[in-house]
């Protein structure tokens, strides 16, 4: 395994970084890295704290996400300790696909290996096997999912567990949404 950063959460269109601010910290201790291109909204920390102070409804919503993130982190840690690399690669791609909302994941083998905390050749082998089965199609700097049901069959049960837990947050009644 390569020393360095390991991914502990995947944030997409329904999430946010900076949970330390929600918990009252002056600054975050985590490092956030954007792994795929896209757009995001940004707010200054002081302005965010003021919104949390003025709106109990928004604060509750954000605390609900923090609770979810803690559960997701625990599940990902368990997955990384218990499951083989191909299962984890499939899980990672499915979660990325869910956050991105399309069948094309703009990521390299190296980026995925770094996210999973494993060696690049291990990820390349798993992806090569998936491609040989017709599940994915690899292109330079991107992977296209061709058969999402087959990819789910390759993933460990953690993918379903993570998706189900995240669905609770994503599907909150509209009156509680902050977006």
């Amino acid at each position: 395994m390569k020393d360095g950063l390991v991914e502990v959460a995947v944030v997409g269109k329904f999430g946010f970084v900076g949970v330390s601010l929600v918990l009252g910290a002056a600054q975050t201790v985590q490092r956030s890295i954007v792994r795929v291109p896209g757009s995001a909204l940004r707010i200054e920390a002081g302005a965010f704290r003021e919104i949390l102070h003025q709106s109990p409804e928004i604060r509750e919503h954000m605390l609900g996400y923090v609770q979810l993130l803690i559960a997701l982190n625990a599940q990902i840690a368990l997955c990384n300790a218990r499951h083989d690399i191909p299962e984890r690669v499939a899980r990672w791609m499915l979660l990325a696909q869910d956050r991105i909302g399309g069948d094309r994941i703009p990521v390299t083998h190296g980026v995925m290996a770094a996210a999973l905390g494993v060696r690049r050749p291990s990820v390349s082998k798993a992806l090569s096997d998936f491609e040989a089965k017709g599940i994915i199609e690899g292109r330079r700097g991107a992977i296209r999912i061709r058969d999402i049901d087959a990819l789910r069959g390759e993933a460990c049960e953690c993918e379903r567990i993570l998706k189900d837990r995240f669905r609770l947050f994503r599907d909150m009644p509209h009156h509680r949404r902050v977006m």
Side-chain angles (χ1 to χ4, degrees):
M1 178 170 8
K2 184 178 175 182
D3 290 338
L5 302 175
V6 176
E7 184 173 274
V8 295
V10 179
V11 177
K13 57 188 172 184
F14 299 107
F16 67 94
V17 296
V19 296
S20 299
L21 295 173
V22 176
L23 298 173
Q27 67 183 48
T28 186
V29 295
Q30 298 88 10
R31 182 174 178 191
S32 300
I33 299 173
V34 177
R35 298 226 184 254
V36 297
S39 61
L41 300 175
R42 182 177 174 165
I43 185 169
E44 195 273 327
F48 183 64
R49 276 192 221 94
E50 185 61 29
I51 289 169
L52 294 175
H53 177 73
Q54 290 178 3
S55 176
E57 186 174 86
I58 291 174
R59 186 176 55 251
E60 285 178 38
H61 182 85
M62 296 296 173
L63 285 170
Y65 181 78
V66 172
Q67 181 181 7
L68 169 71
L69 195 57
I70 291 167
L72 294 176
N73 288 348
Q75 189 67 45
I76 288 171
L78 176 66
C79 182
N80 289 341
R82 297 254 171 112
H83 296 120
D84 293 332
I85 291 172
E87 294 174 303
R88 292 165 50 199
V89 167
R91 184 242 327 145
W92 191 93
M93 284 191 297
L94 289 164
L95 291 176
Q97 181 275 333
D98 186 55
R99 301 313 188 269
I100 293 169
D103 65 352
R104 185 179 173 278
I105 304 168
V107 66
T108 65
H109 295 197
V111 166
M112 194 180 306
L116 294 171
V118 299
R119 294 172 31 96
R120 184 188 172 284
S122 302
V123 169
S124 295
K125 169 76 169 103
L127 293 172
S128 175
D129 291 348
F130 294 158
E131 192 161 13
K133 294 176 183 179
I135 297 172
I136 64 166
E137 176 183 358
R139 298 239 168 106
R140 185 159 180 78
I143 298 165
R144 186 173 73 84
I145 299 172
R146 296 180 65 192
D147 186 343
I148 197 158
D149 292 329
L151 187 59
R152 280 193 185 101
E154 298 288 337
C156 56
E157 66 274 9
C158 296
E159 184 270 334
R160 180 191 49 77
I161 292 166
L162 291 165
K163 192 170 183 176
D164 287 347
R165 285 186 180 157
F166 192 79
R167 186 178 293 121
L168 295 173
F169 181 80
R170 187 185 63 211
D171 295 343
M172 289 173 83
H174 192 65
H175 70 279
R176 289 200 57 208
R177 286 203 178 176
V178 181
M179 297 174 258

